[in-house]
Amino acid sequence: MAARIIDGKAIAAEVRERVKAEAAEFAAGAGRPAALATVLVGDDPASQIYIRKKREACEEAGIRSIHHGLEAATSENELLELVGHLGLDSEVDGILVQLPVPEQIDPDRVIAAIDPAKDVDGLTPTNAGRLAQGMPALVSCTPVGVMELLRHEGVELDGAEAVVVGRSKLVGVPVARLLLAANATVTVCHSRTRDLASVCRRAEVLVAAVGVPRLLGADAVRPGAVVIDVGVNRTADGLQGDVDFEAVSELAAAITPVPGGVGPMTIAMLLANTLAAARSRL
Ligand code: NAP
């Protein structure tokens, strides 16, 4: 195997240690800990696990976790009211509404109601627009985590050919915007892209955020590329990324594993975003 394995777990642990120290400084200065409010509507088991992990990570970092668990039958208005109330609460620095929400609720309306200064998922139109215009913004955690991995690995982005596969609001588009801001030449691919493999082969930095197990094989990777696999796909063979790890690690320079690559970075960057939101509200 030629590629260096990018150890997201270890890099996330470093970020979490850093946030923990800075959260203690914040608490000493502000007279209260930074606080993240999480909201979960319904009892989807996967969402419950995600929320539990986020809450545990907060406690470990010295960030107060305030959780609101709402019944699956909660109306959109009730949720909007809670989100509005959290926006006004001076002791709440970050607001995270766990998606997906039940079908009677329009997620876009709920997200738009989050105070942009507390939008630690970076999903409000205000933060997405600020990012698009190159202004300071809270940016969603997974894309910031991808950039932190690249920074940690010392990957030169200035002038580099970067290809992002996926154009979601949560991952693909913000990753592409962050790479562009770092002066990479960025191509964004999606389900209508013709000859995906040949476009991907241009990439010195390839980011896969698709949700199709092992979509990108050796034919989609330029020898010596850095490959970041955001995909998390549950298959009969266990968790799989969007990249064929065995084949691609023969020719890439560096690659993230699944699990243990991008995943751990997402929670670490949520903590970092919450602290950043808390500081900017001082
Ligand atoms: P999403 O909203 O479903 O977006 C998927 C994107 O992939 C879309 O832009 C879609 O194109 C594109 N796509 C689908 N099939 C394709 C194909 N055959 N060829 C090329 N492009 C294709 O998903 P997401 O929320 O961005 O998540 C992507 C993956 O990342 C998922 O596996 C998810 O579980 C994972 N994820 C991981 C983390 C983490 O912390 N590790 C966080 C978030 C997401 P169209 O726009 O044309 O439909």
Side-chain angles (χ1 to χ4, degrees):
M1 185 183 295
R4 187 171 74 249
I5 308 301
I6 301 175
D7 186 348
K9 253 177 143 170
I11 300 168
E14 282 177 25
V15 173
R16 286 167 70 152
E17 276 307 308
R18 196 171 70 222
V19 172
K20 187 175 180 174
E22 292 176 9
E25 274 174 36
F26 174 88
R32 64 165 184 88
L36 173 67
T38 49
V39 181
L40 174 61
V41 187
D43 48 15
D44 174 64
S47 293
Q48 282 179 328
I49 293 171
Y50 291 138
I51 287 283
R52 197 190 69 228
K53 284 189 174 169
K54 288 169 186 174
R55 298 196 67 197
E56 285 170 0
C58 280
E59 299 294 350
E60 202 186 295
I63 291 175
R64 186 176 161 216
S65 163
I66 305 162
H67 182 63
H68 294 265
L70 305 181
E71 285 178 13
T74 300
S75 70
E76 184 176 288
N77 277 343
E78 285 170 312
L79 182 55
L80 288 171
E81 200 175 309
L82 173 61
V83 167
H85 169 76
L86 293 172
L88 295 173
D89 187 336
S90 60
E91 300 237 322
V92 169
D93 299 297
I95 303 171
L96 184 148
V97 178
Q98 185 68 40
L99 299 176
V101 285
E103 59 183 15
Q104 73 274 16
I105 298 172
D106 176 353
D108 289 342
R109 286 195 67 193
V110 173
I111 285 162
I114 294 174
D115 177 351
K118 300 184 179 186
D119 170 28
V120 287
D121 251 348
L123 288 173
T124 58
T126 302
N127 279 314
R130 291 180 70 91
L131 176 64
Q133 298 205 348
M135 296 162 74
L138 283 166
V139 181
S140 56
C141 307
T142 304
V144 188
V146 168
M147 297 306 286
E148 179 67 19
L149 289 177
L150 293 171
R151 192 195 62 74
H152 191 277
E153 293 298 303
V155 177
E156 177 64 58
L157 293 174
D158 202 319
E161 282 276 355
V163 174
V164 179
V165 189
R167 57 173 166 180
S168 70
K169 284 187 270 191
L170 185 66
V171 191
V173 166
V175 165
R177 295 215 189 277
L178 291 169
L179 288 166
L180 193 59
N183 296 323
T185 300
V186 184
T187 304
V188 180
C189 301
H190 46 77
S191 64
R192 310 287 178 89
T193 299
R194 282 196 294 269
D195 198 357
L196 181 66
S198 79
V199 180
C200 291
R201 262 198 316 274
R202 295 211 296 257
E204 293 169 275
V205 176
L206 178 62
V207 180
V210 188
V212 177
R214 301 159 73 118
L215 175 71
L216 303 178
D219 61 332
V221 177
R222 167 172 168 164
V226 175
V227 180
I228 306 290
D229 189 353
V230 181
V232 177
N233 307 294
R234 279 165 224 288
T235 73
D237 300 330
L239 274 195
Q240 298 269 344
D242 293 337
V243 175
D244 181 341
F245 182 85
E246 281 74 30
V248 168
S249 51
E250 295 295 332
L251 73 163
I255 185 168
T256 56
V258 177
V262 175
M265 296 303 291
T266 298
I267 288 190
M269 300 328 287
L270 172 66
L271 303 174
N273 272 359
T274 302
L275 188 62
R279 282 174 167 159
S280 70
R281 297 181 56 256
L282 266 187

